[in-house]
Amino acid sequence: MGEAAEGRWSSPRRTHFVLVHGLGGGAWCWYKLRALMESSGYSVSCIDLKSSGKDPTSADSVLCFDEYNKPLMDLLASLHETEQVILVGHSAGGLSLTQAMREFAGKIRAAVFVTATMLRSGFCTDQDVKDGVPDLSEFGDDVYDAGFGLGLHKPPTSAIVKREFQRQILYQMSHLEDSTLAAMLLKPGPILAIQAARFADENLVIDTVPRVFIKAVHDNVLRLEQQEAMIRRWPPAETYTLECDHSPFFSATLPLYGLLVKVAATF
């Protein structure tokens, strides 16, 4: 096959995906998707953000978004100047993508928001908070275990959904084996750092990166109406829909894989 044809059909060996987890998750979230993608010949990097996954840092000590997102920024900085990757972010990982797009637009072929926080400037306005912050009030007032690294009279520095609520909130359509694994690996996330994610709006280079949003119809964390509100406010190049819960890497692995392959072929 000639060079022009290879480029047109996006040969897997030329495509590098970087997968970014949400709050409390880790590189482990993507294990099923990574297996599919690597067996098809794609290059895949799954990172642990600060305090997440195998990173030993306490979430209660991570107080700013720059520190939390540094592993992703370091990975992108290490790429050769001519290499481009497809970024895929889940949930709060969308904020990580947004910061990366501002700093490394030339290294990002496309950014895929998988039922993820897609706010152009982060949490700058009340509307940003309304659209991008999970509202779990229907599950009661005692859903989270919080950490108070700055003292009990200060705002919480970390949070994790209590184990007894995790399946019905995060994984209600996922296989029991996957939600059991997740319960063993999920960690408190640095909620104060996430809430501090705000980006200077004058950076226009961010709009040169094609964006794709993948909606999750049955998401109990980032509600469908929130997803659609963010899409209206900052329209992506493409929007797709999955009949899944908040964790499509478990509950809709094959359809998600198919959409990512489509993104690689399109952009």
Side-chain angles (χ1 to χ4, degrees):
M1 186 178 290
E3 287 296 317
E6 284 192 1
R8 184 165 63 247
W9 289 105
S10 184
S11 172
R13 67 181 175 83
R14 293 176 177 268
T15 302
H16 180 187
F17 287 90
V18 177
L19 311 183
V20 185
H21 61 81
L23 189 69
W28 58 268
C29 293
W30 305 102
Y31 82 98
K32 298 172 78 171
L33 187 64
R34 181 173 191 167
L36 282 173
M37 299 180 81
E38 289 184 338
S39 66
S40 299
Y42 294 101
S43 175
V44 182
S45 297
C46 301
I47 62 170
D48 287 323
L49 297 176
K50 196 73 169 181
S51 79
S52 305
K54 294 188 293 185
D55 187 287
T57 308
S58 167
D60 290 316
S61 70
V62 180
L63 305 179
C64 71
F65 189 78
D66 286 353
E67 180 183 5
Y68 174 64
N69 204 35
K70 189 174 185 297
L72 174 60
M73 305 299 273
D74 287 349
L75 183 150
L76 294 173
S78 73
L79 298 176
H80 189 275
E81 61 182 13
T82 62
E83 182 176 0
Q84 285 193 314
V85 300
I86 296 177
L87 288 184
V88 181
H90 171 247
S91 194
L95 294 164
S96 296
L97 266 58
T98 301
Q99 185 182 50
M101 291 162 62
R102 291 174 175 275
E103 299 294 329
F104 297 103
K107 293 184 176 183
I108 303 171
R109 192 162 124 195
V112 184
F113 292 74
V114 181
T115 188
T117 310
M118 189 176 69
L119 300 169
R120 194 178 192 281
S121 301
F123 293 118
C124 291
T125 68
D126 290 342
Q127 190 64 48
D128 294 330
V129 173
K130 179 180 179 181
D131 295 341
V133 173
D135 179 6
L136 306 184
S137 58
E138 73 167 88
F139 298 99
D141 299 327
D142 193 27
V143 174
Y144 291 107
D145 279 327
F148 295 87
L150 299 177
L152 292 176
H153 300 294
K154 298 287 187 178
T157 47
S158 69
I160 183 173
V161 174
K162 289 185 174 181
R163 184 161 184 167
E164 59 265 33
F165 291 104
Q166 287 174 11
R167 179 160 178 81
Q168 68 182 112
I169 293 176
L170 303 172
Y171 314 113
Q172 82 272 15
M173 297 175 67
S174 302
H175 291 299
L176 182 59
E177 294 88 345
D178 288 325
S179 62
T180 300
L181 174 68
M184 298 167 66
L185 297 175
L186 203 63
K187 295 170 64 175
I191 191 69
L192 196 63
I194 293 293
Q195 293 168 345
R198 300 179 183 88
F199 314 117
D201 200 44
E202 65 270 12
N203 189 330
L204 299 180
V205 70
I206 190 173
D207 292 317
T208 66
V209 179
R211 283 174 293 110
V212 174
F213 196 99
I214 299 177
K215 297 190 290 185
V217 173
H218 305 289
D219 193 333
N220 284 334
V221 177
L222 199 59
R223 298 288 180 177
L224 184 60
E225 55 267 29
Q226 292 178 287
Q227 300 171 50
E228 292 175 339
M230 290 187 288
I231 290 168
R232 286 194 301 271
R233 292 177 64 203
W234 192 23
E238 298 286 350
T239 302
Y240 302 111
T241 301
L242 292 176
E243 294 283 341
C244 65
D245 58 22
H246 183 63
S247 304
F249 40 75
F250 290 158
S251 59
T253 312
L254 278 172
L256 177 58
Y257 166 74
L259 289 178
L260 294 181
V261 170
K262 185 174 182 178
V263 168
T266 302
F267 298 99

